[in-house]
Amino acid sequence: QVKLLQSGAALVKPGASVKMSCKASGYTFTDYWVSWVKQSHGKSLEWIGEIYPNSGATNFNEKFKGKATLTVDKSTSTAYMELSRLTSEDSAIYYCTRWTEVLDYWGQGVMVTVSS
Amino acid sequence: DIQMTQSPASLSASLGETVTIECLASEDIYSNLAWYQQKPGKSPQLLIYYANSLNDGVPSRFSGSGSGTQYSLKINSLQSEDVSIYFCQQNYDSPRTFGGGTKLELK
């Protein structure tokens, strides 16, 4: 069955960066886009961007350009998202998802807390 | 960006009741509308895609309808396990945008 297993929670200082992972299993990793979604304040959802593992092509929400960097490691079927220059506004849960014209499978989420 | 306005923001209903959640897009999204259910402490899960297609394993008491800019999610015969936050999302244009969510509680 399709699974997306994300890395653990992170506590990071303002101004620092954080890199999280999303390991896919149960399907051909290179055939589907991986999208990332931010959930703030326990409710609202924002689409950050997506990456196509086969080619490395990316698309971003303009709001997150310069904030998020998306990469993949095809050898381990793992997608990564790095967030840079963190502020309190980046404290949120971040989900990786599989995209098949909808977000059909979601990881368990990574809670990022930005605090000094 | 396409704005998705979801209503109501919260809803309280009794077991067995029928509830409806609405989603209004700021422009025509040609039925490229999905609904997600997020149970407390869990990740969102896909319920409905293309406005009215039920995802595998989703109970038939859930249904979606709509076209153009107006869409709705209907839950018949509310069950306790339906307590969740529900989100709509448009997949017509980038960036893909979500509604603000509807928190459904039991009365």
Side-chain angles (χ1 to χ4, degrees), chain A:
Chain A
Q1 68 280 33
V2 174
K3 287 188 178 178
L4 298 170
L5 184 62
Q6 297 187 244
S7 47
L11 172 61
V12 291
K13 295 189 186 314
S17 298
V18 65
K19 189 172 185 178
M20 62 191 76
S21 65
C22 170
K23 183 170 177 59
S25 60
Y27 71 98
T28 302
F29 178 63
T30 49
D31 284 353
Y32 299 88
W33 291 79
V34 174
S35 285
W36 293 83
V37 175
K38 177 182 181 182
Q39 185 165 35
S40 306
H41 313 300
K43 201 171 179 184
S44 63
L45 298 169
E46 291 180 282
W47 179 78
I48 296 169
E50 62 188 359
I51 184 166
Y52 189 56
N54 197 31
S55 63
T58 56
N59 296 308
F60 283 96
N61 185 335
E62 283 291 331
K63 178 179 177 179
F64 292 94
K65 282 185 178 177
K67 169 64 68 178
T69 302
L70 304 181
T71 56
V72 296
D73 180 345
K74 290 190 282 187
S75 69
T76 60
S77 297
T78 303
Y80 297 90
M81 180 171 70
E82 183 170 19
L83 301 172
S84 60
R85 298 182 303 278
L86 291 166
T87 71
S88 59
E89 292 299 305
D90 299 313
S91 292
I93 297 175
Y94 294 88
Y95 295 100
C96 65
T97 73
R98 192 180 77 163
W99 167 253
T100 55
E101 300 189 358
V102 285
L103 303 173
D104 64 349
Y105 288 94
W106 295 61
Q108 84 276 20
V110 174
M111 181 176 291
V112 174
T113 304
V114 182
S115 174
S116 54

Side-chain angles (χ1 to χ4, degrees), chain B residues 51-70:
Chain B
N52 60 15
S53 296
L54 218 58
N55 194 29
D56 291 345
V58 175
S60 59
R61 64 180 180 273
F62 290 89
S63 63
S65 63
S67 62
T69 61
Q70 295 184 294

Side-chain angles (χ1 to χ4, degrees), chain B residues 1-72:
Chain B
D1 298 0
I2 296 176
Q3 305 303 313
M4 303 300 292
T5 303
Q6 198 173 329
S7 61
S10 63
L11 180 56
S12 183
S14 301
L15 290 174
E17 241 186 271
T18 295
V19 300
T20 300
I21 298 168
E22 309 281 345
C23 192
L24 178 67
S26 59
E27 61 184 82
D28 196 331
I29 57 172
Y30 301 95
S31 298
N32 288 280
L33 190 284
W35 290 97
Y36 300 88
Q37 176 191 51
Q38 186 175 30
K39 295 188 177 184
K42 300 293 186 182
S43 308
Q45 303 277 304
L46 176 65
L47 278 180
I48 287 171
Y49 57 97
Y50 289 135
N52 60 15
S53 296
L54 218 58
N55 194 29
D56 291 345
V58 175
S60 59
R61 64 180 180 273
F62 290 89
S63 63
S65 63
S67 62
T69 61
Q70 295 184 294
Y71 299 87
S72 62

